[in-house]
């Protein structure tokens, strides 16, 4: 008896073209429903939500439809005395939301709207003796936070503020026998962590430390018969892995190892033809998170209706070129 692969079936009538206008309208309307139950429920990750929405609007060349002044004021009000930024006003600061805030301000070419020196001090203060980074003052350690730290500092042009060599040593200590990375040394490989660690190594100029063929093989094994990608073995496919897996493959120069046409079919099938937006899987509820990563995945696949996306920062390439930031990729 072979094991049954967990997967989804794509129906013949699933969407198979990119519904760009609908997605633009969906994101533009999402932020305007401030008393909407779904919107109020997501306050604890509001800063990331704004980043997802603005980035996908920029990739679709519609950033001007968002309220720039209101968003910049919100970020200023969410920066704390310690320099860190929180998900929303009155919440605790965290590296995740600090990176989201810096990404948003970079999109708007307005990084100086916040106290940059204090942001740098906040990030520096979260580095631990072993080179790892805590996400906030409560001390949780995760390779995601290593990525957030160096991505934030790279966007600010201040990567020299932390001990990069020690940070690299810690991330490499989380590499596994299968070529992948976990959240801490000894943790299982996971596509989200692999994206964070390959992105981290790209920013720090250490991609040569990766076994690209071994890791590329593990990442390609994430593609299921439906064309969709999962985050680790035995899991269902999810549109967000069209980003985490594909971006990692692009960073290590192995994106041509997967079936791009089948993945494109899967991503397009996750659109909602009525409301716009992308869901995790065909027929599920759409949300801004999966909408960004669906569109960004299509950009990596070469969709010409979407701006080129940078695989390390998940921001339009033109934005990073504007600030003179280059990312290492293996070819």
């Amino acid at each position: 008896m072979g094991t049954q692969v967990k997967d989804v079936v794509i129906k013949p009538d699933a969407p198979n073209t990119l519904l760009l206008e609908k997605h633009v309208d969906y994101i533009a309307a999402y932020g305007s429903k401030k008393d909407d139950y779904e919107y109020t429920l997501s306050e604890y990750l509001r800063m990331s939500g704004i980043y997802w929405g603005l980035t996908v609007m920029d990739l679709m060349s519609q950033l001007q439809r968002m309220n720039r002044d209101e968003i910049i004021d919100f970020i200023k009000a969410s920066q704390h005395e310690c320099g860190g930024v929180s998900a929303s006003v009155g919440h605790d600061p965290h590296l995740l939301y600090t990176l989201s805030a810096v990404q948003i301000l970079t999109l708007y070419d307005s990084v100086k709207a916040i106290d940059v020196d204090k942001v740098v001090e906040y990030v520096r203060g979260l580095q631990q003796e072993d080179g790892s980074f805590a996400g906030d003052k409560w001390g949780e350690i995760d390779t995601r936070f290593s990525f957030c730290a160096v991505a934030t500092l790279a966007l600010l042009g201040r990567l020299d503020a932390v001990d990069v060599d020690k940070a690299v040593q810690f991330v490499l200590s989380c590499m596994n026998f299968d070529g992948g990375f976990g959240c801490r040394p000894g943790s299982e490989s996971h596509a989200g962590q692999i994206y964070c660690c390959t992105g981290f190594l790209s920013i720090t100029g250490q991609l040569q430390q990766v076994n690209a063929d071994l890791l590329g093989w593990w990442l390609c094994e994430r593609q299921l018969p439906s064309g969709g990608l999962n985050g680790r073995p035995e899991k269902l496919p999810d549109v967000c892995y069209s980003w985490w897996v594909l971006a990692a493959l692009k960073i290590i120069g192995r994106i041509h190892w997967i079936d791009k046409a089948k993945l494109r079919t899967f991503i397009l099938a996750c659109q909602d033809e009525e409301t716009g937006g992308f869901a995790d899987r065909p027929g599920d509820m759409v949300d801004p998170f999966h909408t960004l990563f669906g569109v960004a995945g299509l950009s990596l696949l070469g969709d010409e209706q979407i701006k080129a996306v940078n695989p390390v920062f998940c921001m339009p390439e033109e934005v990073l070129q504007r600030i003179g930031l280059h990312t290492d990729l293996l070819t």
Side-chain angles (χ1 to χ4, degrees):
M1 282 282 288
T3 55
Q4 188 65 38
V5 176
K6 287 184 178 173
D7 201 1
V8 297
V9 176
I10 295 176
K11 294 179 179 158
D13 63 347
N16 58 10
T17 56
L18 180 60
L19 309 169
L20 204 64
E21 299 299 319
K22 293 233 169 181
H23 303 318
V24 169
D25 290 343
Y26 165 71
I27 294 290
Y30 189 87
S32 63
K33 303 179 192 149
K34 298 219 182 348
D35 48 2
D36 187 321
Y37 174 69
E38 190 184 354
Y39 186 86
T40 52
L41 206 64
S42 63
E43 189 185 27
Y44 68 96
L45 46 74
R46 178 67 32 79
M47 192 65 71
S48 294
I50 294 171
Y51 156 71
W52 303 327
L54 292 182
T55 302
V56 74
M57 287 297 260
D58 201 354
L59 289 171
M60 299 187 294
S61 303
Q62 295 292 325
L63 186 59
Q64 74 281 2
R65 284 191 56 179
M66 308 302 267
N67 190 329
R68 176 192 166 132
D69 293 343
E70 186 185 326
I71 289 162
I72 291 176
D73 287 345
F74 173 74
I75 294 174
K76 282 156 73 170
S78 301
Q79 185 176 26
H80 290 246
E81 191 53 42
C82 65
V85 182
S86 52
S88 197
V89 181
H91 289 236
D92 286 341
H94 196 287
L95 252 181
L96 288 172
Y97 308 118
T98 303
L99 171 58
S100 292
V102 169
Q103 287 173 304
I104 295 163
L105 293 172
T106 303
L107 289 179
Y108 278 136
D109 205 8
S110 299
V111 167
K112 294 194 166 49
I114 54 171
D115 189 328
V116 170
D117 290 338
K118 280 193 168 178
V119 173
V120 173
E121 279 309 308
Y122 176 71
V123 176
R124 193 208 312 261
L126 291 171
Q127 189 168 27
Q128 310 299 302
E129 194 53 45
D130 63 358
S132 66
F133 284 85
D136 60 14
K137 67 179 182 184
W138 307 111
E140 183 192 357
I141 303 296
D142 190 312
T143 46
R144 285 183 307 157
F145 308 145
S146 296
F147 171 76
C148 290
V150 298
T152 300
L153 295 175
L155 288 169
L156 298 173
R158 303 286 294 275
L159 198 50
D160 57 350
V162 292
D163 190 329
V164 174
D165 291 341
K166 269 192 168 180
V168 169
Q169 283 170 13
F170 175 75
V171 168
L172 292 176
S173 75
C174 300
M175 192 191 293
N176 291 321
F177 69 92
D178 55 16
F181 292 84
C183 52
R184 285 184 290 280
S187 301
E188 71 165 323
S189 296
H190 184 283
Q193 306 296 147
I194 289 169
Y195 161 78
C196 289
C197 293
T198 54
F200 170 94
L201 293 170
S202 167
I203 293 168
T204 55
Q206 294 292 321
L207 271 176
Q208 75 280 4
Q209 309 271 8
V210 171
N211 183 333
D213 286 347
L214 186 61
L215 176 55
W217 177 255
W218 189 94
L219 289 165
C220 292
E221 290 275 289
R222 307 279 59 78
Q223 190 164 34
L224 296 162
S226 66
L229 299 164
N230 63 17
R232 54 185 202 267
E234 306 292 323
K235 298 291 184 184
L236 284 167
D238 183 324
V239 154
C240 69
Y241 292 110
S242 308
W243 174 256
W244 313 119
V245 173
L246 210 54
L249 283 167
K250 177 78 173 171
I251 291 167
I252 65 168
R254 301 295 185 273
I255 198 168
H256 55 290
W257 282 13
I258 62 153
D259 188 326
K260 292 184 179 181
K262 283 184 82 169
L263 176 56
R264 181 178 164 81
T265 298
F266 172 81
I267 296 174
L268 292 172
C270 296
Q271 300 174 101
D272 189 313
E273 290 175 287
E274 304 291 315
T275 64
F278 287 76
D280 57 349
R281 287 179 273 282
D284 287 357
M285 282 286 289
V286 300
D287 60 67
F289 173 82
H290 289 94
T291 302
L292 167 60
F293 294 125
V295 169
L298 291 171
S299 174
L300 286 179
L301 292 173
D303 194 303
E304 291 179 356
Q305 299 175 76
I306 305 165
K307 290 182 185 179
V309 70
N310 181 277
V312 175
F313 288 91
C314 194
M315 295 166 68
E317 282 284 10
E318 62 185 32
V319 173
L320 298 176
Q321 286 167 3
R322 186 180 71 216
I323 63 170
L325 186 55
H326 302 285
T327 48
D328 280 359
L329 304 179
L330 290 180
T331 49

